[in-house]
C-alpha cells in the first residue's frame, strides 16, 4: 500500500529473489518511460523501494504520481 510521507508517495515491495525484483524494476522502468515520469528507487536483493514526487511541481505529490503508483500496482 502506498503511503504519503515527506512530500512523496512511498511503497516497499518484496519478492522471492533478486531476479524477480529486477524483472519488476524492468517493467516499472518501461512503464515510467512511457508515462514520462521517472521514480526514485532503491533495490537490495529482493526488496524494491519506490518514492514518487513531481520535480516540476516543487517535489510534491501530484496526480501524476498517483497515476504512476496505480499503474505500478497494476503490474503486480
Amino acid at each position: 500500500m502506498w503511503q504519503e510521507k515527506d512530500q512523496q508517495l512511498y511503497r516497499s515491495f518484496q519478492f522471492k529473489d533478486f531476479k524477480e525484483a529486477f524483472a519488476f524494476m524492468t517493467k516499472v522502468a518501461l512503464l515510467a518511460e512511457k508515462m514520462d515520469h521517472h521514480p526514485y528507487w532503491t533495490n537490495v536483493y529482493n526488496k524494491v523501494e519506490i518514492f514518487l514526487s513531481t520535480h516540476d511541481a516543487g517535489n510534491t505529490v501530484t496526480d501524476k504520481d498517483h497515476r504512476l503508483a496505480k499503474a505500478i500496482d497494476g503490474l503486480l
Side-chain angles (χ1 to χ4, degrees):
M1 169 144 322
W2 290 92
Q3 300 172 8
E4 190 167 336
K5 63 181 187 179
D6 299 326
Q7 297 186 23
Q8 296 177 320
L9 285 182
Y10 166 81
R11 184 166 177 189
S12 176
F13 301 86
Q14 191 156 341
F15 300 91
K16 183 177 78 172
D17 54 25
F18 177 75
K19 185 176 164 181
E20 282 191 9
F22 195 84
F24 172 73
M25 291 177 68
T26 301
K27 292 176 190 174
V28 172
L30 294 171
L31 179 65
E33 184 66 19
K34 186 176 182 178
M35 295 179 76
D36 192 30
H37 192 47
H38 306 95
Y40 173 83
W41 58 13
T42 64
N43 166 244
V44 177
Y45 184 58
N46 68 335
K47 185 176 181 181
V48 176
E49 293 180 288
I50 300 178
F51 305 83
L52 301 175
S53 65
T54 302
H55 308 293
D56 294 346
N59 293 316
T60 60
V61 176
T62 67
D63 189 50
K64 195 172 187 178
D65 302 300
H66 286 283
R67 285 194 311 268
L68 181 54
K70 185 176 181 178
I72 291 170
D73 285 346
L75 296 173
L76 300 173

